[in-house]
Amino acid sequence: MIEQDLQKRLVEQEILQGSDLLDEIHEVKQNNEQLIIELNTKYHTKKEVTKYLSDITGKPVDPSVDVSLPFYSDFGKHITFGKNIFINLNVTFVDLGGITIEDNVLIGPGARLVTVNHLVSPKKRRGLRVAPICVKKNAWIGANATILSGVTIGENAIVAADATVTKDVPANVIVAGSPAKQIRKIIEE
């Protein structure tokens, strides 16, 4: 599939600037925008939402994935959902670099997962650097949390509301703040 090949090329390419890839990106993005608008502008049954998500991602989405609308994605084709996932309303996926959500994940309202970053140099600021995000099994991302490019959220980890995660989160911990820091370990009760 061209979109999957595109993701691989984007991640392998350190910096994307003035590239032919931009035309491919904009074409996929334009098609995704139409689907997102249709998804978010009227009532849909759970089965219809699942169908839209499958069309947006270009992959089958398990019926156990539950998404409260509105849902936002700029690119769409680089999202992979596991099973038994709950995504609350107003969650944004900037997925050009790839977002994987494993089984049993919870994502709170207003959370943002952003795989794209602009360059620091003012002369190159329009350039992009992308890196994937992975949310491991049974993790919980709190309301309004932001997960930045290249981050893995460990299994069973909790990202507190309003946290900004700039580096990997180990399994079985709670992180909070901006930038997010570990505040405690999760002890099985």
Side-chain angles (χ1 to χ4, degrees):
M1 179 170 276
I2 191 167
E3 292 87 4
Q4 299 307 320
D5 178 55
L6 177 60
Q7 179 186 5
K8 182 179 178 188
R9 288 183 287 150
L10 287 168
V11 171
E12 287 174 353
Q13 190 169 333
E14 185 167 330
I15 296 172
L16 177 64
Q17 191 165 19
S19 165
D20 293 338
L21 293 177
L22 291 174
D23 291 336
E24 283 183 69
I25 290 167
H26 287 293
E27 184 179 331
V28 173
K29 191 173 181 299
Q30 184 176 5
N31 292 333
N32 185 57
E33 287 170 354
Q34 181 178 343
L35 291 170
I36 292 289
I37 289 169
E38 290 173 14
L39 175 65
N40 289 329
T41 55
K42 70 178 194 175
Y43 174 79
H44 297 284
T45 65
K46 185 172 180 342
K47 187 174 182 179
E48 290 170 333
V49 171
T50 301
K51 169 79 169 93
Y52 269 101
L53 291 173
S54 295
D55 291 344
I56 288 165
T57 63
K59 304 174 209 64
V61 172
D62 192 85
S64 66
V65 173
D66 192 7
V67 175
S68 296
L69 302 179
F71 169 83
Y72 300 102
S73 164
D74 67 334
F75 193 74
K77 298 299 184 199
H78 294 168
I79 301 170
T80 302
F81 292 114
K83 296 179 181 177
N84 197 35
I85 295 166
F86 177 71
I87 300 173
N88 216 320
L89 55 94
N90 288 316
V91 172
T92 300
F93 282 42
V94 180
D95 62 286
L96 195 57
I99 297 174
T100 300
I101 308 297
E102 292 186 355
D103 298 347
N104 303 311
V105 167
L106 302 171
I107 302 179
R112 294 162 300 278
L113 290 83
V114 183
T115 65
V116 176
N117 201 356
H118 288 279
L119 306 177
V120 173
S121 168
K123 291 180 182 175
K124 297 179 180 178
R125 182 90 18 101
R126 289 263 193 204
L128 301 175
R129 183 173 280 133
V130 302
I133 291 172
C134 182
V135 182
K136 296 288 190 176
K137 292 179 181 175
N138 208 40
W140 173 17
I141 298 173
N144 294 313
T146 301
I147 314 300
L148 296 179
S149 64
V151 167
T152 295
I153 306 297
E155 192 168 331
N156 301 316
I158 297 172
V159 175
D162 292 317
T164 301
V165 183
T166 61
K167 60 184 179 180
D168 290 351
V169 174
N172 301 303
V173 301
I174 300 172
V175 297
S178 183
K181 293 181 177 32
Q182 183 176 323
I183 58 171
R184 74 179 183 124
K185 290 186 177 188
I186 298 171
I187 308 296
E188 190 66 39
E189 296 177 14

